[in-house]
């Protein structure tokens, strides 16, 4: 559930970025996040079903909804800084979640899904940090 909520935040916040950001590097990053996090959500849901669970569709918690609302109301001048400022801790939390579950989770199928997601999230975190420092994202990883 936590992984799905994290993915949903990444998707929703990145959809706002596509609407509001004028920076082509931010827009490219946001497009990639949407694509990758849709795939990791699908993989996690499939792994949960293989583990005998009936996962509910992911939902945002109040904190994530507040973050998305902040992005929606941000000025154009502040948007990119705010968006990347949110992406770094969100991806760090997601990476911690996936790594913890990959090493100690109770469902083998979900451990595998968490193991597969960890390097993707780690790369997203690295790219967000480069963007925060004013750099370009470089080549986008494929999934």
């Amino acid at each position: 559930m936590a992984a799905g909520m994290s993915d949903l935040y990444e998707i929703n916040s990145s959809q706002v970025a596509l609407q509001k950001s004028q920076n082509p590097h931010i827009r490219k990053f946001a497009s990639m996040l949407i694509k990758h996090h849709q795939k990791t959500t699908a993989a996690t849901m499939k792994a949960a079903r293989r583990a005998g669970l009936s996962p509910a569709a992911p939902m945002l918690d109040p904190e994530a909804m507040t973050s998305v609302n902040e992005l929606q109301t941000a000025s154009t001048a502040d948007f990119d800084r705010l968006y990347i400022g949110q992406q770094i801790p969100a991806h760090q939390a997601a990476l911690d979640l996936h790594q913890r579950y990959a090493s100690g989770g109770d469902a083998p199928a979900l451990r595998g899904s968490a193991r597969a997601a960890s390097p993707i999230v780690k790369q997203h975190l690295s790219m967000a940090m480069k963007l925060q420092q004013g750099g370009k994202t470089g080549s986008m990883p494929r999934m």
Side-chain angles (χ1 to χ4, degrees), residues 15 19 63 79 88 105 107 109 133:
Q15 288 169 335
Q19 294 168 3
E63 184 179 337
F79 181 82
I88 292 171
Q133 296 166 358

Side-chain angles (χ1 to χ4, degrees), residues 5-51:
M5 183 176 59
S6 174
D7 281 343
L8 185 60
Y9 162 75
E10 299 300 345
I11 293 165
N12 287 357
S13 63
S14 294
Q15 288 169 335
V16 175
L18 291 179
Q19 294 168 3
K20 294 193 80 164
S21 181
Q22 301 302 308
N23 182 323
H25 302 292
I26 298 288
R27 293 176 61 79
K28 186 175 179 183
F29 179 68
S31 291
M32 178 200 62
L33 289 185
I34 292 167
K35 179 180 170 189
H36 286 186
H37 286 285
Q38 286 172 336
K39 287 183 178 182
T40 56
T41 296
T44 300
M45 298 290 269
K46 184 176 179 182
R49 286 189 292 276
R50 280 196 321 265

Side-chain angles (χ1 to χ4, degrees), residues 127-141:
M127 295 169 92
M129 292 168 80
K130 284 180 187 175
L131 284 168
Q132 188 178 51
Q133 296 166 358
K136 298 176 183 175
T137 55
S139 64
M140 297 292 170

